[in-house]
Amino acid sequence: MKRSQHLVGVLLAAAALVGITSLFGNDYYLRIVFMMCVYYLCAAGMNVLVGYAGQKSLGQAGLFAAGAYAVALLTTRTEMNPWLALVAAAGISAVCGVLIALPSLRVKGPYLAMVTLAFGIVVEKLVGEWTDVFGGAQGIYGIKALTWDGQPLTQLQWVWLGIGLCALAHLLLRNLLEGRFGRALLSLQADEIASSSVGVRVYRAKVIAFVVAAVTCGIAGALVAQQNQYINSDFITFHLSIFILLLVLFGGAGSQYGPLVGTIVLTAVDAALARWPSAQHFLYGFLLLFALYVMPGGVTGLFSKWFRRSAEAPEPSKAAAVPTRIGPGGQGELLVVQGVTKNFGGVKPAQNVSFRLQRGHIHALIGPNGAGKSTMINMLTGLIDPTEGSIQFLGQEVSGRPVHSICCMGMGRTFQNLRLFAELSVLDNVMLGRHSRMTNGFFASLFHLPNAKREEAATRARALQLLDLVGLLHLAHHPAGSLPYGLQRRVELARALATEPQLLLLDEPAAGLNPQETAELGQLLLRIGKCGVSILMVEHHMDLVMSISDHVIVLDYGIKIAEGKPAEVQANPRVVEAYLGVDEPEEEQHALCAA
């Protein structure tokens, strides 16, 4: 659905809900609808963190408390306008999101969940026992409610406000998640190493996801406090964190409509079982296990295939012009490796290795298995730091730089073992390659400003051009993981080219390819070289190496044993010995047999 059509649809749905709720004469039902709005705000932000970034958090009750107690303290101890207090509560919640993210994101998996759980428990204890500030079980009374025309909002007006905020949150998050930042967050969930290799700042993206979840949850907490004009520690429980997580998982994590479905269903169930708290807790535990093991895609995941768009070939006009220039080309030294050594305990996959790469050349790094070739590629791209030595790219030292920074400098790569974002489309994979080249920031994306529109259109057009270059234009909308292995290799190559590299590092690009595919790859690499990209490839297919390389470097047990033109290297006795071994002298063979 086009963005303008979606906007109209959301506005019409919001207007319809406002009209329907206007007919409600019972404050109890209005209260249920209001709590649906509150829980949707919590779940929508949590979906960014869990469904997109893949970070499991059990501390949302603490962020809910941050917003609730912020607005409570600001309106009871100062003369701040309650509307300004609501905005301030969102900002305070964002700060709390950063504070919880910084230590939490240094761990992964279950450890991350445990750290966030600890945060939620600490906040629960803090508001329950620091009575001088937070009131404990007695709570804080006299919180100023939001007003309209000088009068506190009625129950119906609270519902209208909740509907409006939910519609706004949905539209803003859709802007964010359907563009540059949404792709980046999904890439984190799939493969953080591959994500950083295309220029995504992994840690920063995770922090952004935490902050988004914190802001929406903080606003929800502030609304509850202002609507009740009262807040105490009974609102802040571990049960709340589990319920918010359940809203996302049950509705469908990673789906923009999953939080809405989960909120409507579970809030209605929650209201129906309000008289039986023990039954509530049992049902939540059951539904959480059910969602995790029986329908991991949630309710929306069961029906998503019915609504999935059929793959359509992109318009020829958008991809007709195959790019003639990717890198700057030119002449001179591009990369200088000087005395690089790497120690893994007693193992040394690189020992005082030195070489220089020239612009406009196709270089090959070869050697027997275990020679240290992939380790060298990983050191060049920042995945591994060398123990000793210097690596200079474009005259700048890259040792110790983060992976995304080296990518931004102009060094792209593929991996020995495929690292595609398999659930994303081929087009989205390649568009992710241009993440670091896009200039639209967080707020430009959130509000879909003209700069974000231009960058998205330019990125899409460039990605289609690169897919045309590698012969995959007709498969642009297919899931990358559904393609045959040889075509997946080409997708990874196109994604690396989308980073606009001056130097392209290929780690065994022909691995798993048949002879015809290998020959086609060789012709493709020659075409890429003519587009201004210098290449360094690690490869075992000697026919491919000798047919397209301008310069060959040979490693054996981490030591450079030869370097030069393909014919020279092929005739080098040390290279022959490294690959084929040498016959033992006849006398030694007799001696060994006699022994």
Side-chain angles (χ1 to χ4, degrees):
M1 185 184 297
K2 292 182 179 180
R3 197 175 300 271
S4 58
Q5 294 175 333
H6 182 79
L7 174 62
V8 172
V10 170
L11 293 178
L12 289 176
L17 288 174
V18 167
I20 292 171
T21 54
S22 299
L23 303 177
F24 289 2
N26 190 320
D27 281 354
Y28 174 73
Y29 295 120
L30 290 176
R31 174 70 179 176
I32 292 176
V33 176
F34 175 72
M35 290 310 299
M36 284 184 178
C37 296
V38 168
Y39 287 137
Y40 174 76
L41 290 174
C42 295
M46 186 68 165
N47 187 42
V48 176
L49 183 61
V50 175
Y52 281 80
Q55 309 301 304
K56 303 299 186 288
S57 173
L58 295 174
Q60 296 307 104
L63 298 171
F64 186 93
Y69 279 93
V71 80
L73 294 173
L74 288 173
T75 59
T76 57
R77 300 194 179 185
T78 72
E79 295 300 321
M80 181 177 288
N81 181 284
W83 288 99
L84 292 179
L86 177 62
V87 175
I92 292 171
S93 300
V95 173
C96 292
V98 173
L99 293 178
I100 184 179
L102 293 179
S104 300
L105 293 177
R106 299 192 180 279
V107 294
K108 297 180 180 180
Y111 300 104
L112 172 62
M114 294 302 292
V115 172
T116 56
L117 172 61
F119 168 79
I121 292 174
V122 167
V123 172
E124 182 180 349
K125 294 297 182 182
L126 188 67
V127 300
E129 298 181 10
W130 196 357
T131 56
D132 292 341
V133 177
F134 301 108
Q138 182 177 355
I140 300 176
Y141 291 87
I143 301 171
K144 293 181 182 178
L146 297 177
T147 60
W148 183 257
D149 198 21
Q151 297 296 320
L153 298 184
T154 65
Q155 185 67 55
L156 182 59
Q157 289 173 330
W158 277 107
V159 171
W160 291 350
L161 175 63
I163 292 172
L165 288 176
C166 288
L168 180 62
H170 172 77
L171 292 172
L172 292 179
L173 291 179
R174 186 174 188 267
N175 289 341
L176 187 70
L177 297 175
E178 290 198 346
R180 179 189 183 209
F181 285 91
R183 289 191 297 270
L185 293 176
L186 288 172
S187 73
L188 301 184
Q189 185 172 177
D191 191 328
E192 290 185 13
I193 292 177
S195 182
S196 61
S197 76
V198 295
V200 175
R201 299 177 65 176
V202 172
Y203 194 79
R204 179 187 178 189
K206 290 180 180 179
V207 171
I208 288 175
F210 261 99
V211 170
V212 169
V215 168
T216 58
C217 209
I219 291 174
L223 288 175
V224 169
Q226 290 182 308
Q227 199 263 352
N228 290 324
Q229 295 183 275
Y230 166 72
I231 190 73
N232 75 345
S233 58
D234 292 342
F235 287 82
I236 315 303
T237 63
F238 177 62
H239 162 79
L240 177 61
S241 293
I242 292 296
F243 186 69
I244 294 172
L245 180 61
L246 181 58
L247 294 175
V248 176
L249 296 180
F250 183 79
S255 166
Q256 293 183 31
Y257 296 99
L260 178 62
V261 173
T263 297
I264 293 173
V265 173
L266 294 180
T267 306
V269 171
D270 183 69
L273 297 179
R275 296 181 181 179
W276 302 281
S278 58
Q280 278 182 325
H281 297 165
F282 171 80
L283 182 63
Y284 296 154
F286 171 77
L287 289 178
L288 183 59
L289 293 175
F290 183 79
L292 288 173
Y293 292 103
V294 179
M295 52 176 197
V299 175
T300 55
L302 297 177
F303 303 100
S304 61
K305 61 181 179 180
W306 297 353
F307 300 99
R308 188 175 298 160
R309 294 183 306 172
S310 59
E312 299 177 357
E315 298 84 347
S317 60
K318 291 186 178 180
V322 175
T324 57
R325 182 60 55 182
I326 299 174
Q331 297 180 344
E333 288 184 345
L334 186 61
L335 180 78
V336 178
V337 176
Q338 189 67 40
V340 167
T341 297
K342 181 62 183 177
N343 298 333
F344 292 108
V347 179
K348 293 186 176 182
Q351 303 180 48
N352 196 31
V353 177
S354 300
F355 57 83
R356 297 169 182 266
L357 302 186
Q358 303 294 320
R359 291 182 180 273
H361 287 186
I362 296 179
H363 306 265
L365 183 63
I366 67 173
N369 289 329
K373 305 181 298 297
S374 292
T375 300
M376 180 58 66
I377 293 291
N378 289 335
M379 285 192 289
L380 297 181
T381 54
L383 283 177
I384 299 174
D385 290 330
T387 306
E388 299 176 7
S390 170
I391 302 173
Q392 292 192 349
F393 178 63
L394 299 175
Q396 300 182 50
E397 183 65 35
V398 299
S399 300
R401 284 178 178 259
V403 177
H404 69 266
S405 176
I406 295 175
C407 172
C408 294
M409 292 176 66
M411 196 184 299
R413 70 163 297 173
T414 64
F415 293 86
Q416 181 177 356
N417 299 316
L418 276 172
R419 287 185 176 272
L420 283 179
F421 309 120
E423 298 298 321
L424 300 184
S425 70
V426 170
L427 180 60
D428 282 337
N429 267 267
V430 181
M431 291 178 72
L432 259 165
R434 278 190 55 85
H435 178 86
S436 63
R437 305 302 175 191
M438 300 177 72
T439 60
N440 53 303
F442 175 81
F443 289 104
S445 299
L446 184 67
F447 296 104
H448 198 56
L449 300 180
N451 179 38
K453 297 178 184 178
R454 289 193 301 269
E455 288 292 325
E456 192 72 14
T459 294
R460 181 182 178 87
R462 184 61 162 172
L464 293 173
Q465 287 181 336
L466 293 171
L467 287 175
D468 197 14
L469 174 65
V470 301
L472 296 179
L473 184 59
H474 61 294
L475 300 174
H477 295 288
H478 286 67
S482 69
L483 302 185
Y485 184 82
L487 298 184
Q488 289 188 40
R489 281 282 181 189
R490 292 197 175 200
V491 175
E492 191 179 38
L493 178 58
R495 186 183 69 189
L497 290 174
T499 65
E500 306 291 341
Q502 297 191 43
L503 176 62
L504 179 63
L505 307 178
L506 307 175
D507 197 351
E508 299 194 25
L513 303 185
N514 61 41
Q516 179 181 351
E517 290 172 331
T518 301
E520 292 173 352
L521 174 64
Q523 295 303 310
L524 176 58
L525 294 182
L526 288 174
R527 291 200 302 273
I528 291 172
K530 293 178 181 178
C531 292
V533 180
S534 303
I535 297 174
L536 173 63
M537 65 175 177
V538 169
E539 190 50 69
H540 286 291
H541 286 72
M542 288 302 102
D543 289 342
L544 175 62
V545 170
M546 298 303 165
S547 63
I548 69 171
S549 299
D550 302 303
H551 181 256
V552 179
I553 304 162
V554 188
L555 298 181
D556 187 27
Y557 293 107
I559 301 172
K560 188 181 77 172
I561 61 173
E563 181 178 9
K565 294 182 179 180
E568 297 171 354
V569 169
Q570 199 170 18
N572 190 302
R574 294 189 65 186
V575 176
V576 175
E577 178 182 348
Y579 272 95
L580 303 177
V582 293
D583 294 331
E584 295 177 347
E586 190 172 339
E587 294 82 358
E588 291 184 13
Q589 291 184 15
H590 287 309
L592 289 172
C593 291

